[in-house]
Amino acid sequence: MKDTKKLLFLGTYPPPYGGISSHLYDLLPSLQKTGHKVISFTPYAEKNMNDEFENGLRIIKMTTRKMFVNNSLKILLFLFLNIKYLYSLKLIQYIRLVSCAFQLRKIIKNERIDIVYTFEEHILIIPFLKKIINNNIIINSMIFGEYYLYPDKFLKMKLYMKKCFSLIDQIYSSSQYCAESIEKVFSFKFSSKVIYVGVDENIYFPAKNNQKFKSFLNIPESSFVYFFLGRMDKSMGIDFLIENAEKILNIGENVYLILAGAKGSYSVQVNELSNKYDRIKYYENIPFDQKLSFYHACDVYLAPTMQKHACMGVSIKEAMSCGKPIIASNSGGIPEAITNGENGFMIDTINGKLDSEDFIKKLEMIYKDELLREKMSKKGRKVFLEKFTNKITLNKYLEIINELS
């Protein structure tokens, strides 16, 4: 008989959608279908949600106020008896973490949870949770790029972070690059296994031809499209594309640059750019169900992100799944997906900025060489199917669960 487990995932479940929340949205229903009992708990939510089922999944969301009111007397007593933690944490942060820990204890006890998974900053709850529960529950944690992004913030509580890491049964990361952040930022040596965030190959797939999708975007079927999808912020490299927009258009008279994604600090400039050039199109906050059409319409995907905390963008894997060649910055975890010259091109930095000369050179090369595009398209899809599908991600989690049985 199959040994089923009761699993509690501590992280943001959508809405809103984002890196982690989208990952949980794909993963948790699939885990539920394998026979395991899965509960998602989102602490510090904007509003309370309890016992709502979606695809057989139990979803709990709770505000800080609700968690505190539910456990106020126990929390206040705990705060008084464990005042030493204030040396590492701010008072408000301390109260939030303890409130969450007591609420977690209720869920763990009532649901008889076997394994808890925490994501990103929810790792900070672990010392409190371990202190107030009396069983040997397994706690695993997934880290992304938070330590690269906010090193000063986490280094201020370095000893507390060491305590957190030491209490985790298994640490996972969404890329090898981000797995190394514990040692690079804190100089701690804790082992970490890589589980890539997967993408559904049945949703994102190569198009037989992309002409009809170009018509959907009201651009000529004969156009050649470079596509960027991301937040309109400097960290995503949108400033680099703005600076080099005219050079990109000069590659060919049929070249179009499609810029799409969430609103950000550069949204106004991107909008002005699209008004200035007919062959630059800007789409803000495109609907989820239209993303595939954008990928299918493009000929090459651009990822000029300069985020040092970028484990590896999901959009890169979506583009690979659609069989699109990728031109990306040689930063973060991106080299774990792109092999230079095989399924795309990697652009190095010069004095902290992407090499614009090499970037334009590679755009021209791929524009002129149809056989190269076809080769990169097939290779990208092949690499994706070997490393980045939702099924592979699910199986990694199942292997871990089975190891712990």
Side-chain angles (χ1 to χ4, degrees):
M1 184 177 176
K2 183 179 178 180
D3 184 15
T4 59
K5 296 291 183 183
K6 292 186 176 181
L7 313 173
L8 176 62
F9 285 79
L10 182 61
T12 302
Y13 192 83
Y17 286 87
I20 294 173
S21 59
S22 295
H23 172 50
L24 295 180
Y25 184 79
D26 287 336
L27 173 67
L28 302 194
S30 298
L31 273 175
Q32 178 85 13
K33 289 178 182 177
T34 65
H36 296 292
K37 174 64 178 176
V38 180
I39 297 176
S40 170
F41 178 50
T42 303
Y44 324 129
E46 292 184 0
K47 61 181 181 178
N48 298 307
M49 178 188 299
N50 198 6
D51 295 337
E52 180 170 321
F53 289 80
E54 185 174 305
N55 300 323
L57 169 69
R58 183 177 175 191
I59 302 168
I60 302 172
K61 295 189 176 187
M62 201 167 288
T63 64
T64 303
R65 177 183 175 84
K66 179 71 172 177
M67 291 188 294
F68 181 81
V69 171
N70 284 353
N71 307 279
S72 56
L73 293 177
K74 293 176 182 177
I75 292 169
L76 291 172
L77 179 60
F78 183 91
L79 293 173
F80 177 74
L81 295 176
N82 296 274
I83 200 72
K84 62 181 181 180
Y85 286 107
L86 280 176
Y87 290 110
S88 299
L89 304 168
K90 295 178 180 179
L91 179 60
I92 295 298
Q93 184 183 32
Y94 186 16
I95 293 172
R96 281 164 56 91
L97 292 172
V98 174
S99 299
C100 184
F102 273 99
Q103 191 61 46
L104 277 171
R105 184 177 73 165
K106 279 187 176 181
I107 297 172
I108 290 168
K109 181 180 179 181
N110 293 340
E111 301 296 333
R112 297 182 180 181
I113 298 296
D114 298 301
I115 306 173
V116 175
Y117 290 86
T118 74
F119 291 79
E120 283 197 317
E121 287 195 41
H122 295 312
I123 189 178
L124 300 175
I125 296 167
I126 293 174
F128 299 118
L129 182 60
K130 283 281 191 178
K131 194 170 183 65
I132 64 176
I133 58 176
N134 297 319
N135 60 9
N136 294 319
I137 191 167
I138 296 168
I139 299 180
N140 299 328
S141 290
M142 172 74 89
I143 61 173
F144 288 77
E146 59 269 28
Y147 307 134
Y148 287 131
L149 182 59
Y150 304 111
D152 294 339
K153 169 186 171 181
F154 287 103
L155 284 171
K156 286 179 182 178
M157 46 183 174
K158 184 175 181 179
L159 293 179
Y160 185 79
M161 292 304 302
K162 188 172 186 180
K163 177 76 170 176
C164 294
F165 294 132
S166 68
L167 293 172
I168 298 171
D169 291 277
Q170 181 63 62
I171 300 171
Y172 309 105
S173 180
S174 55
S175 71
Q176 184 57 43
Y177 171 76
C178 282
E180 296 167 358
S181 66
I182 296 176
E183 183 170 358
K184 288 182 177 179
V185 174
F186 301 102
S187 299
F188 297 153
K189 290 189 178 295
F190 289 96
S191 63
S192 177
K193 295 181 179 180
V194 174
I195 301 180
Y196 292 118
V197 174
V199 168
D200 192 337
E201 72 274 21
N202 297 311
I203 294 178
Y204 298 96
F205 54 88
K208 292 182 180 179
N209 72 74
N210 62 358
Q211 291 182 341
K212 69 176 182 178
F213 297 101
K214 290 178 179 179
S215 297
F216 168 76
L217 297 180
N218 295 316
I219 57 178
E221 292 183 358
S222 60
S223 61
F224 189 94
V225 177
Y226 295 106
F227 176 46
F228 165 88
L229 176 64
R231 192 174 58 256
M232 299 298 143
D233 283 341
K234 185 174 183 178
S235 61
M236 301 300 290
I238 191 64
D239 60 319
F240 177 81
L241 293 180
I242 292 172
E243 291 172 8
N244 290 277
E246 191 169 346
K247 293 179 181 178
I248 294 172
L249 296 182
N250 287 339
I251 291 172
E253 293 182 355
N254 67 331
V255 167
Y256 277 72
L257 177 61
I258 305 295
L259 306 172
K263 188 176 182 179
S265 57
Y266 278 78
S267 293
V268 173
Q269 290 174 252
V270 174
N271 190 52
E272 290 174 351
L273 192 70
S274 67
N275 290 331
K276 182 178 179 181
Y277 298 99
D278 291 338
R279 290 186 285 134
I280 295 179
K281 305 294 182 181
Y282 173 41
Y283 298 87
E284 185 176 286
N285 298 324
I286 60 174
F288 181 83
D289 59 0
Q290 289 185 13
K291 277 205 300 180
L292 181 63
S293 296
F294 279 81
Y295 285 122
H296 280 174
C298 83
D299 295 279
V300 179
Y301 183 76
L302 306 178
T305 176
M306 291 299 290
Q307 298 182 99
K308 63 180 180 180
H309 68 285
C311 291
M312 185 196 306
V314 170
S315 59
I316 286 177
K317 287 171 278 191
E318 291 172 345
M320 288 173 65
S321 186
C322 291
K324 299 302 176 179
I326 297 168
I327 299 180
S329 61
N330 188 9
S331 64
I334 294 175
E336 295 173 51
I338 309 301
T339 301
N340 196 38
E342 293 192 15
N343 60 331
F345 288 117
M346 304 291 293
I347 308 300
D348 291 327
T349 57
I350 298 178
N351 298 322
K353 291 187 175 183
L354 280 184
D355 184 344
S356 59
E357 184 177 336
D358 188 44
F359 177 75
I360 297 299
K361 179 182 176 181
K362 293 300 191 295
L363 262 63
E364 289 177 339
M365 185 184 302
I366 208 166
Y367 169 76
K368 294 176 180 177
D369 195 333
E370 184 177 355
L371 291 177
L372 177 63
R373 294 197 303 274
E374 290 179 1
K375 184 194 84 168
M376 288 184 167
S377 171
K378 292 177 181 178
K379 182 65 174 181
R381 175 71 176 180
K382 182 175 183 292
V383 171
F384 168 81
L385 292 174
E386 292 171 347
K387 297 175 68 174
F388 301 125
T389 68
N390 272 349
K391 186 175 181 180
I392 293 172
T393 301
L394 173 64
N395 287 336
K396 288 284 187 181
Y397 274 93
L398 291 175
E399 285 174 13
I400 293 161
I401 293 168
N402 292 335
E403 288 172 2
L404 298 171
S405 298

